[in-house]
Amino acid sequence: MKAFLPIFQQYKKGDYIYPGALIRHLDISMKEIYEVLEVIKELGVIRPHYEVYCKECRKFTGISYDTINNMPEYVECEQCENPLDPIEDCIVIYKVIVDE
């Protein structure tokens, strides 16, 4: 995990952390990266954020939510007009909420 710290230090307040990007850089499993991010969340450095992802066109829609409670029941992909369920078609990312 020594490689994690230099990568994480590149993020600043307001940046979004995509677990998939960290997985590619660190060559670790999805489960491991979410475990690490949950520990950092508990320290109050990041908070979860939910971004809608279209499985049909394989793109992020640009639609995101701070909480699950803010999600509507239905959204449509702006790229391919595929109907999406925000809860099922979202990916948990994290927003940095404090500076170093």
Side-chain angles (χ1 to χ4, degrees):
M1 269 312 187
K2 289 180 184 179
F4 180 78
L5 194 54
I7 292 170
F8 188 76
Q9 287 176 329
Q10 295 175 13
Y11 292 97
K12 303 295 177 216
K13 184 175 182 178
D15 287 349
Y16 290 98
I17 300 171
Y18 287 82
L22 295 176
I23 290 167
R24 286 189 299 278
H25 286 294
L26 300 170
D27 194 31
I28 62 174
S29 72
M30 184 179 299
K31 181 181 181 212
E32 290 172 308
I33 199 61
Y34 275 107
E35 286 173 353
V36 170
L37 291 168
E38 282 298 309
V39 169
I40 296 169
K41 179 187 90 169
E42 294 301 317
L43 295 172
V45 176
I46 59 176
R47 72 168 180 233
H49 196 80
Y50 306 91
E51 188 162 15
V52 180
Y53 180 80
C54 180
K55 296 172 189 165
E56 185 71 27
C57 65
R58 301 178 66 165
K59 295 184 180 189
F60 286 100
T61 63
I63 303 167
S64 63
Y65 304 96
D66 287 334
T67 67
I68 291 175
N69 292 337
N70 291 345
M71 293 180 178
E73 291 183 26
Y74 170 87
V75 295
E76 190 175 272
C77 176
E78 293 177 4
Q79 301 290 320
C80 68
E81 299 180 353
N82 184 46
L84 303 170
D85 177 336
I87 292 180
E88 296 221 1
D89 295 316
C90 79
I91 294 175
V92 179
I93 60 174
Y94 293 84
K95 185 174 185 176
V96 179
I97 57 174
V98 297
D99 285 322
E100 289 184 57

